[in-house]
Amino acid sequence: MSAKSENLFMVSLKDAAAGGAVALALFGVLIGMKAEVASGLGGQLGIEYRWAAVAIAVAIVFGGRLLLNLFVWKTDKPVTATAKGFLPSAKPLAKLGKYAMPVFLILAVVLPFLLMSAYGSRGSRQYLDLAILVTTYVMLGWGLNIVVGLAGLLDLGYVAFYAVGAYSYALLAQYFGFSFWICLPLAGILAAFWGIILGFPVLRLRGDYLAIVTLAFGEIIRVVLLNWYDFTGGPDGISGIPRPSFFGIEFERGPGGFADTFGLEYNSIHRIIFLYYLILIMALVTNFVTMRLRKLPVGRAWEALREDEIACRSLGINTTHTKLTAFALGAMFGGFAGSFFATRQGFISPESFTFIESAVILAIVVLGGLGSQIGVVIAAVVMIGGFEFFRGLEEYRMLVFGLLMVVIMVWKPRGLISTRMPSITLSGKKAKGISADLVQEGHG
Amino acid sequence: MSSWETNPVLTIEHLTMRFGGLVAIDDLSFNVGRGDITALIGPNGAGKTTVFNCVTGFYKPTEGRVVMHRTNGEHYLLERMADFQISAKAKVARTFQNIRLFGGMTLLENLMVAQHNPLMLASGYSLAGIFGLATFRKAERQAVEKARYWLEKTALIDRADAPAADLPYGDQRRLEIARAMCSGPELLCLDEPAAGLNPKESGELNTLLQYIRKEHGTSILLIEHDMSVVMEISDHVVVLDYGEKISDGTAAEVKDDPKVIAAYLGVPDEEVDAVEEEVGI
Ligand SMILES: Nc1ncnc2c1ncn2[C@@H]1O[C@H](COP(=O)(O)OP(=O)(O)OP(=O)(O)O)[C@@H](O)[C@H]1O
Ligand SMILES: [Mg+2]
């Protein structure tokens, strides 16, 4: 035993020393030398040496690697295995999924009233804004879930459709003076249309290629919006986007406004509450449609496509059309969310539609568990809510966030809610969920 | 005249498939008789799976013609059709040598996916389905009944709501056949359905195939290595070797064909000696 542990120590030490050497070589130049423009008139370039910082970095690598070797990688009883025991097991979480939906729904419906009574109309505004933001991401997550979770097509450019929706609304309103309620369906249709146009060439590709090309298309749309100055206003964006009305009744002070019509005292929070319910309803419609489609032939074909595309073709399923419907439908919901975004902000610019948005939405879907509707909700609340919650930490926010992601991925690599529920059962009873290890993730 | 010459369900004419320099199938012609069980046999790498892939549209043949004659009198030139149309319109279904099930879906779901096209039509391309119209609900019930029928026939009904990937190997093979049958084929192509089965399972498979042929009038084209299976159930045997047809006839005829014996068992020693003498070794 002692000989073995001695051996373990020596091996670990050697490995850590090697790691330290690599770190020294890398950090020696990366951290150790800093090019500096000398202040003063000459503006000469000089090098500042920071050997202390290098020493610290190398020591961290050496020490960290040694500890990891000793306690995790090389030993028979890694501490992570013990630590895993402390994390809640996955089973209760799956059960939670069953009850979470109604609980979340009720909570979501009464939320504005809860906030109003707790913080008053002034204090609750910031929380309502956050709730709107979270719900928007829930809707986007649900939309993308159709494409990534059900059909298994890795789309890294989902934000493109969000942008198309937002700009459709803004431009239609600007050029034709259409109201929100006319623009909303039009924006969805236009986004779906773009989904089909992009889908045709893109969906021949599979896996990584599909991911890269969708990413590129997402960027192309943003760059076009940025450079087509005459039409979209380029980097200046579009401002003065009309606010939504309560089916024709504007949220304004004075006679004819919302408050006046319903005999309330005017308060700017009314509009926020209305926006909240608007996005909540839009998100719920997205959810309802997705859940229904999953039980229809087209939804089953999506999932079958994710499982095995060749088998699908041998059964007479037109895989191109099936992929396109998933792409177009996902795009349509993205478009709806986009036009909501535009009306909420009143101002949009290409800045809001960068790749990071796609990444966040995808992260929500993946963390929640591919194909799981409730998982998306939990992930959106945790991620978007967490972003705001940790705002005080400033630049460490991303660090905390990254750490959280790593923990979740280690603990539940297939996302929070990863069991798949069968879409139909022979017995008529609710069937047991299918464990995630059996379900394919799809290859595009 | 044998039935496959007078009333074929599938005719393959001068089929050639090249992969670069490799000729996987070389000018192959044969017929599959309507209502027959036809076996396609040959040593490893003879090109059997490649024939299937050409028939079901997964490969585009380099040359040749593949015609499906449906019972309703329609003819389809399969080499010109997309793979999914071959299943949907020409009614040719297939299974795969390395099983391809929808592993994360239940058995019932697997069989429902196989009925995608009629269900899609009934759901009004999903519009009627979203609102749960009665016509769609009826079609769905019928589809479930059809699935139940095939699950019973393949003795998988007890596990209808279990994921397909959880099934033992033999059951997976049968499920793949059930799934193919759910698409309502007139020609069923099975790629080594008995591979990996124990003798009992293999016997049950024979019964199942004969049932399918008799009760549903589905013609069967199967690839098989196990000669006992071939001899027992097939009406017609086609033998391939290095992409060429070396024999074609009833099981009894093929069994005694010296070329087939040579391909399977190797050439007798005297012949080797004779050839060696000729070339002067
Ligand atoms: N897609 C392909 N690309 C290149 N060569 C191929 C391809 N498919 C098949 N081949 C080649 O064609 C030949 C015939 O292969 P095929 O799979 O049809 O044989 P098989 O008769 O089914 O053999 P087995 O009994 O092992 O299944 C082999 O030499 C194979 O390597
Ligand atoms: Mg083969």
Side-chain angles (χ1 to χ4, degrees):
Chain A
M1 184 64 217
S2 79
K4 196 176 168 215
S5 60
E6 185 130 301
N7 190 22
L8 169 74
F9 187 75
M10 284 313 293
V11 171
S12 306
L13 203 63
K14 249 192 218 156
D15 181 86
V22 173
L24 182 64
L26 280 175
F27 295 146
V29 268
L30 286 179
I31 299 180
M33 297 171 211
K34 186 180 172 205
E36 262 212 327
V37 184
S39 51
L41 279 177
Q44 274 179 341
L45 209 59
I47 296 182
E48 188 195 324
Y49 296 98
R50 299 187 293 186
W51 300 124
V54 175
I56 293 172
V58 172
I60 288 175
V61 170
F62 176 78
R65 215 174 154 89
L66 187 64
L67 287 178
L68 277 173
N69 271 329
L70 281 178
F71 295 110
V72 184
W73 291 335
K74 299 241 154 84
T75 148
D76 306 330
K77 278 186 293 182
V79 279
T80 39
T82 336
K84 245 189 187 161
F86 293 117
L87 286 169
S89 96
K91 285 241 169 58
L93 213 72
K95 266 222 187 88
L96 189 95
K98 214 158 72 186
Y99 302 108
M101 210 65 172
V103 170
F104 266 110
L105 189 61
I106 292 168
L107 204 66
V109 170
V110 299
L111 186 73
F113 300 101
L114 280 181
L115 287 173
M116 289 281 277
S117 61
Y119 299 102
S121 62
R122 224 164 222 296
S124 59
R125 177 167 178 155
Q126 106 188 64
Y127 296 103
L128 264 177
D129 272 333
L130 180 59
I132 291 174
L133 192 68
V134 169
T135 318
T136 313
Y137 277 97
V138 169
M139 177 165 177
L140 286 168
W142 277 339
L144 185 62
N145 208 4
I146 297 175
V147 185
V148 183
L150 293 182
L153 306 165
L154 185 50
D155 181 355
L156 291 182
Y158 191 61
V159 76
F161 307 121
Y162 191 39
V164 168
Y167 269 87
S168 305
Y169 173 45
L171 292 170
L172 283 170
Q174 194 178 45
Y175 286 98
F176 300 102
F178 289 165
S179 79
F180 175 75
W181 294 104
I182 299 175
C183 288
L184 182 71
L186 284 178
I189 289 168
L190 277 172
F193 180 67
W194 270 107
I196 291 173
I197 289 189
L198 295 193
F200 253 114
V202 163
L203 291 176
R204 296 169 178 280
L205 306 172
R206 293 164 59 90
D208 306 348
Y209 299 98
L210 177 73
I212 300 278
V213 174
T214 50
L215 188 149
F217 267 117
E219 284 300 287
I220 288 170
I221 290 211
R222 190 177 63 85
V223 170
V224 167
L225 292 175
L226 200 57
N227 289 299
W228 197 355
Y229 192 83
D230 302 334
F231 186 56
T232 65
D236 302 345
I238 300 174
S239 54
I241 300 169
R243 299 303 186 132
S245 56
F246 186 79
F247 305 103
I249 306 169
E250 300 288 343
F251 289 90
E252 336 168 289
R253 203 184 282 278
F258 176 81
D260 181 56
T261 315
F262 290 90
L264 301 166
E265 201 176 319
Y266 174 78
N267 192 334
S268 62
I269 198 85
H270 290 159
R271 188 217 309 276
I272 310 288
I273 294 180
F274 172 70
L275 281 174
Y276 173 74
Y277 279 118
L278 183 63
I279 186 67
L280 185 63
I281 289 169
M282 279 164 58
L284 288 177
V285 167
T286 310
N287 181 40
F288 173 77
V289 171
T290 314
M291 296 299 263
R292 287 269 349 155
L293 285 176
R294 215 176 82 85
K295 293 187 191 323
L296 291 181
V298 66
R300 267 186 223 119
W302 289 337
E303 293 202 78
L305 205 62
R306 180 192 65 201
E307 295 284 326
D308 194 324
E309 183 174 343
I310 290 183
C312 276
R313 294 215 300 265
S314 84
L315 294 171
I317 296 176
N318 185 337
T319 49
T320 314
H321 284 182
T322 310
K323 284 180 181 179
L324 272 180
T325 52
F327 221 62
L329 214 72
M332 186 178 82
F333 290 123
F336 286 149
S339 70
F340 173 82
F341 176 78
T343 193
R344 178 173 102 102
Q345 300 285 341
F347 166 78
I348 52 170
S349 75
E351 204 107 302
S352 315
F353 307 105
T354 50
F355 169 68
I356 192 76
E357 289 298 311
S358 293
V360 167
I361 302 166
L362 187 66
I364 287 175
V365 174
V366 173
L367 280 184
L370 289 176
S372 162
Q373 297 290 91
I374 190 70
V376 166
V377 177
I378 298 173
V381 170
V382 170
M383 274 189 56
I384 306 301
F387 256 152
E388 299 302 313
F389 187 75
F390 288 117
R391 205 170 264 288
L393 295 178
E394 297 183 5
E395 64 262 50
Y396 297 108
R397 192 162 64 138
M398 272 300 181
L399 206 66
V400 172
F401 179 67
L403 209 65
L404 204 76
M405 289 258 252
V406 171
V407 167
I408 291 183
M409 285 291 121
V410 167
W411 170 47
K412 298 218 65 177
R414 298 289 296 253
L416 291 170
I417 310 282
S418 50
T419 43
R420 172 182 178 274
M421 282 298 158
S423 61
I424 189 171
T425 61
L426 196 64
S427 54
K429 283 186 298 227
K430 239 177 130 86
K432 283 218 306 271
I434 296 169
S435 140
D437 345 320
L438 301 178
V439 180
Q440 298 292 314
E441 284 157 338
H443 306 282
Chain B
M1 284 286 265
S2 37
S3 74
W4 55 89
E5 275 158 26
T6 51
N7 185 16
V9 64
L10 182 79
T11 48
I12 294 178
E13 295 164 21
H14 305 291
L15 183 69
T16 301
M17 183 79 219
R18 285 191 209 103
F19 298 107
L22 179 88
V23 185
I25 309 174
D26 191 7
D27 195 23
L28 174 71
S29 305
F30 71 91
N31 288 354
V32 177
R34 193 179 304 282
D36 280 354
I37 295 184
T38 308
L40 186 61
I41 65 171
N44 285 108
K48 306 178 295 292
T49 302
T50 307
V51 172
F52 267 36
N53 283 336
C54 290
V55 170
T56 51
F58 285 91
Y59 292 162
K60 287 279 155 264
T62 321
E63 279 165 38
R65 202 156 83 140
V66 183
V67 192
M68 174 75 191
H69 312 277
R70 284 201 41 192
T71 348
N72 62 11
E74 287 169 353
H75 301 283
Y76 290 93
L77 298 177
L78 301 187
E79 80 279 3
R80 297 188 187 172
M81 292 168 70
D83 42 19
F84 69 92
Q85 280 177 333
I86 289 180
S87 168
K89 297 220 177 85
K91 293 286 165 203
V92 179
R94 73 171 289 181
T95 65
F96 296 88
Q97 188 166 355
N98 42 353
I99 306 174
R100 285 182 175 277
L101 289 169
F102 306 125
M105 302 172 85
T106 66
L107 273 58
L108 178 63
E109 285 180 307
N110 268 273
L111 301 194
M112 294 298 279
V113 172
Q115 305 178 59
H116 177 80
N117 286 322
L119 279 176
M120 199 69 184
L121 211 61
S123 77
Y125 296 93
S126 303
L127 284 179
I130 284 198
F131 300 108
L133 293 194
T135 47
F136 172 67
R137 286 210 306 273
K138 184 155 160 265
E140 190 176 51
R141 263 200 309 281
Q142 281 168 353
V144 171
E145 280 318 307
K146 188 168 182 182
R148 183 199 297 276
Y149 171 84
W150 282 110
L151 285 172
E152 273 164 5
K153 282 292 158 250
T154 48
L156 294 168
I157 191 82
D158 295 338
R159 310 198 57 172
D161 293 334
D166 257 355
L167 290 182
Y169 190 78
D171 291 358
Q172 293 198 1
R173 283 248 175 250
R174 284 208 309 287
L175 178 60
E176 218 188 3
I177 295 175
R179 188 179 67 181
M181 284 313 292
C182 273
S183 66
E186 291 183 12
L187 174 66
L188 178 64
C189 301
L190 305 172
D191 199 341
E192 304 202 14
L197 300 192
N198 62 35
K200 179 167 160 284
E201 287 174 326
S202 160
E204 287 165 0
L205 178 75
N206 287 356
T207 326
L208 175 66
L209 294 187
Q210 266 155 347
Y211 176 86
I212 288 174
R213 183 256 297 267
K214 191 152 143 274
E215 297 298 318
H216 293 269
T218 309
S219 318
I220 297 176
L221 173 63
L222 80 150
I223 294 177
E224 193 44 80
H225 272 301
D226 186 343
M227 284 310 254
S228 65
V229 175
V230 172
M231 292 306 150
E232 195 181 321
I233 63 169
S234 39
D235 309 290
H236 175 198
V237 180
V238 176
V239 191
L240 279 189
D241 194 16
Y242 294 110
E244 286 179 52
K245 185 168 86 174
I246 57 171
S247 188
D248 185 346
T250 63
E253 286 164 11
V254 165
K255 197 169 66 174
D256 298 327
D257 189 330
K259 277 200 205 140
V260 178
I261 297 170
Y264 266 87
L265 303 176
V267 187
D269 284 345
E270 307 91 74
E271 274 183 39
V272 177
D273 291 342
V275 172
E276 280 180 352
E277 226 164 85
E278 252 174 57
V279 294
I281 301 174

